[in-house]
Amino acid sequence: MLRRTDGTRRSVAVLSVMTAAALAFGLTACGGSGSKNKDGLGTAAAFSVNDRKQFPMLSGTTLDGSKLDLSSFKGKVIVVNIWGSWCDPCQAEAPYLEHANEAYRDKGVQFVGIDTRDNTGQAQAFVKAKQISYPNLFDDGNETLLGQLAGITSLASVPSTLIIDKNGGLAWRALRPVDFNDVSAALDTVLSGK
């Protein structure tokens, strides 16, 4: 036990607790590799047509300053990727997502990113460096957009990738980093009507 009379030892103990808490949050908030929990952290799941929740038609400002409303993509399959430039797994999966975007662009699929908990300049640099061509909504520090996804996805799991079917239902969700094969297999299933 630490005594209050020794400020140095107390400060070290407080710093140790704060560091452990920050590391735990970092693992959870950025695709942590911990065990799977009841919220599905680290999992990917497909939802049958009859079990799909309606996805909210989000709208907001993109990283390039334009306005975007997901309802403008009505009738398309929409892939939503939640990411942050600060997240190493997000950086690793970005090329796979752009490759899938290019491969499925002419098949009625629209990719949209949601950048969260980020600095706008760093996020813009990330998009440029990774050559991401699809639009990316900017979610401010208040999680204005992500807050609307409560019950749809884990708000703490970054990166996350969601596939919305042509009728606006959540068809597939990955609460972990994805690669091209993950996304293309899921898209092929959703595009086939399953």
Side-chain angles (χ1 to χ4, degrees):
M1 291 261 171
L2 296 177
R3 296 182 182 192
R4 289 183 167 253
T5 58
D6 186 346
T8 304
R9 288 186 4 195
R10 180 170 168 73
S11 296
V12 169
V14 169
L15 181 60
S16 295
V17 169
M18 289 173 54
T19 301
L23 286 172
F25 174 77
L27 286 174
T28 301
C30 191
S33 60
S35 62
K36 296 175 178 86
N37 64 21
K38 67 178 181 175
D39 294 328
L41 183 63
T43 64
F47 302 97
S48 69
V49 174
N50 295 330
D51 294 330
R52 294 179 182 170
K53 293 181 181 181
Q54 280 300 116
F55 192 83
M57 288 295 110
L58 305 172
S59 63
T61 304
T62 64
L63 287 172
D64 67 7
S66 60
K67 298 292 182 189
L68 178 66
D69 188 334
L70 292 188
S71 64
S72 66
F73 303 128
K74 188 175 182 177
K76 288 189 170 191
V77 171
I78 305 171
V79 178
V80 176
N81 177 253
I82 302 167
W83 63 276
S85 65
W86 45 266
C87 170
D88 289 340
C90 300
Q91 293 180 29
E93 76 174 0
Y96 299 121
L97 290 164
E98 178 57 30
H99 178 58
N101 173 54
E102 293 169 8
Y104 285 87
R105 181 179 292 144
D106 296 331
K107 297 179 181 180
V109 176
Q110 176 64 51
F111 278 65
V112 176
I114 300 176
D115 174 45
T116 187
R117 303 175 209 144
D118 217 339
N119 168 286
T120 307
Q122 289 174 332
Q124 290 168 333
F126 175 94
V127 167
K128 183 176 180 181
K130 299 297 183 182
Q131 301 178 341
I132 298 171
S133 63
Y134 51 86
N136 285 272
L137 290 164
F138 181 72
D139 190 45
D140 60 23
N142 297 319
E143 296 186 350
T144 305
L145 295 173
L146 288 189
Q148 296 177 56
L149 300 181
I152 300 286
T153 189
S154 168
L155 304 185
S157 186
V158 177
S160 294
T161 303
L162 314 167
I163 298 179
I164 316 311
D165 68 21
K166 293 177 183 181
N167 298 314
L170 177 65
W172 187 80
R173 174 181 64 205
L175 302 179
R176 59 170 173 74
V178 296
D179 61 23
F180 178 80
N181 291 334
D182 293 329
V183 176
S184 63
L187 279 172
D188 289 344
T189 300
V190 174
L191 286 168
S192 73
K194 296 178 184 176

